Amino acid sequence: MSSDVVTAEGLTKRYRKSETPAVDDVSFEIARGETIGLLGPNGAGKTTLIKMICGVTTPTSGRVRVFDADPVRQPVAAKSGIGAMHQSGPFDMMLPALDNLRIAARFRGLRWRAVEPWAMELSEFLGITEALSRLCFQLSGGQRQRLQMVRALLTIPQLLILDEPSAGLDVPGRRQVEAFVTWLREEHGVTVLWTSHHIDEVERNSQRVLVVNRGKVVRFAKPRELVEEFGSTHLVVDVEDPEAGRVVGAWAQSAGYTAAVEESVVRIHGAKAREVLPDLSKHCLDQGVAITGFSTAADSLEQVFLRMTDNEG
């Protein structure tokens, strides 16, 4: 039996009336216990890829194996260990939240009495215990998002698929979800496939990141490796006021650098302090403006991701 939880080989999906494949010759492996971030612009193929892993959509060609089984031809073997939290998973809005959980348990062949203690514990942890008695349409977006997670985790899965798990959550709520997923991985060895528009969230929590664009894999690597390969360092110059920022930015551009001016901070991309500061300091002195400080910073994964996907032709 393979040690990988998910294996894709030449995976391709074409939809009728579409000129290009939604997923195009994709290959990758996800090992047990990994948290994998799945990043891509809208329309990149992320949702189709998740659907093929879950056995909802049949590949046009190639193959995907989940727990060494075909999700379409061997659904019980492939799907029994999957818990999926979908961004738009439907609820019966006219039923109480608790009844939605009971229905989900029955649909999955689970005895409610067996899973109820864990569901209640998880609901308490996520802060929605009092909301369980209310009709779903009365819940806030954040409460429904937490209810999605409880429903996905009526049992602890071997593979947890998170599609925008923090949508509608504030920052403390996002961090709460992150801490819980980390606990699942560390205490129960859960493998996680995590897609989110909050790229900082993916950067903090993923061992590796699968970047897709136009249906193809752009790169599959550790966040740090992506930043090193596609990113750059930049000089951060602090100035006394926005006018000084405009002076510094104009000088940097005249010297052949790309500069981003943000009020009293100027980021000069590709510049090294020892090469830039002597001439820049003299220029600022001549112009009667002051530099109040400087530092060196590296691109974030978000900046790298935008560069990677913008340049894909």
Side-chain angles (χ1 to χ4, degrees):
M1 183 175 177
S2 171
S3 61
D4 294 322
V5 171
V6 181
T7 303
E9 299 175 356
L11 195 60
T12 298
K13 179 63 181 181
R14 293 180 179 272
Y15 291 107
R16 292 180 181 178
K17 300 181 180 180
S18 177
E19 296 181 359
T20 58
V23 172
D24 189 3
D25 194 25
V26 165
S27 299
F28 62 88
E29 299 85 29
I30 299 176
R32 294 180 185 277
E34 277 192 299
T35 296
I36 299 298
L38 176 59
L39 294 180
N42 290 334
K46 304 188 300 296
T47 299
T48 299
L49 189 57
I50 289 173
K51 285 181 177 179
M52 288 191 286
I53 291 172
C54 292
V56 176
T57 297
T58 303
T60 304
S61 61
R63 72 170 195 162
V64 61
R65 307 282 290 182
V66 181
F67 308 119
D68 211 26
D70 185 311
V72 175
R73 296 180 176 83
Q74 301 165 289
V76 175
K79 297 180 184 181
S80 59
I82 296 178
M85 179 181 173
H86 298 292
Q87 185 179 2
S88 57
F91 291 110
D92 188 322
M93 303 300 283
M94 298 305 296
L95 285 179
L98 184 60
D99 285 352
N100 274 272
L101 293 180
R102 290 182 174 128
I103 291 169
R106 185 168 183 176
F107 182 78
R108 292 169 55 180
L110 302 171
R111 292 177 61 250
W112 175 247
R113 286 187 179 181
V115 300
E116 182 180 12
W118 166 244
M120 294 302 101
E121 182 179 343
L122 181 52
S123 297
E124 182 177 359
F125 174 81
L126 294 174
I128 60 169
T129 302
E130 293 182 0
L132 292 179
S133 61
R134 289 155 54 190
L135 302 180
C136 269
F137 83 87
Q138 296 175 315
L139 305 184
S140 68
Q143 288 172 328
R144 283 199 290 269
Q145 195 70 359
R146 290 176 171 88
L147 187 64
Q148 289 267 26
M149 176 158 283
V150 176
R151 182 168 64 178
L153 291 165
L154 288 174
T155 59
I156 296 177
Q158 294 172 270
L159 171 62
L160 176 60
I161 297 176
L162 299 174
D163 185 6
E164 301 292 344
S166 61
L169 299 181
D170 56 15
V171 173
R174 288 173 56 191
R175 292 305 177 95
Q176 185 182 43
V177 168
E178 291 177 36
F180 179 68
V181 173
T182 298
W183 176 80
L184 286 173
R185 180 172 59 83
E186 293 179 349
E187 295 297 321
H188 297 277
V190 175
T191 304
V192 183
L193 179 60
W194 188 323
T195 179
S196 176
H197 288 298
H198 294 292
I199 298 178
D200 60 319
E201 183 176 273
V202 171
E203 185 172 17
R204 282 193 300 272
N205 294 284
S206 302
Q207 281 74 57
R208 292 191 293 162
V209 177
L210 180 64
V211 182
V212 296
N213 195 23
R214 297 183 175 93
K216 291 182 175 292
V217 173
V218 179
R219 195 76 166 82
F220 191 18
K222 297 177 180 178
R224 174 179 50 80
E225 293 172 346
L226 293 176
V227 170
E228 290 175 354
E229 182 176 351
F230 295 94
S232 64
T233 58
H234 50 273
L235 183 65
V236 181
V237 181
D238 299 311
V239 293
E240 58 186 3
D241 54 43
E243 177 57 32
R246 286 190 286 273
V247 170
V248 172
W251 177 90
Q253 291 174 346
S254 69
Y257 296 104
T258 299
V261 181
E262 306 165 3
E263 291 293 326
S264 300
V265 174
V266 183
R267 302 180 189 277
I268 306 176
H269 293 275
K272 295 181 179 179
R274 65 176 181 272
E275 297 174 353
V276 170
L277 285 177
D279 290 342
L280 175 57
S281 298
K282 182 178 182 303
H283 178 75
C284 289
L285 184 62
D286 292 343
Q287 296 296 315
V289 299
I291 294 174
T292 58
F294 67 90
S295 59
T296 300
D299 285 341
S300 66
L301 181 62
E302 180 174 5
Q303 292 168 315
V304 167
F305 165 73
L306 291 172
R307 187 174 301 126
M308 292 171 69
T309 53
D310 282 347
N311 292 339
E312 283 295 301

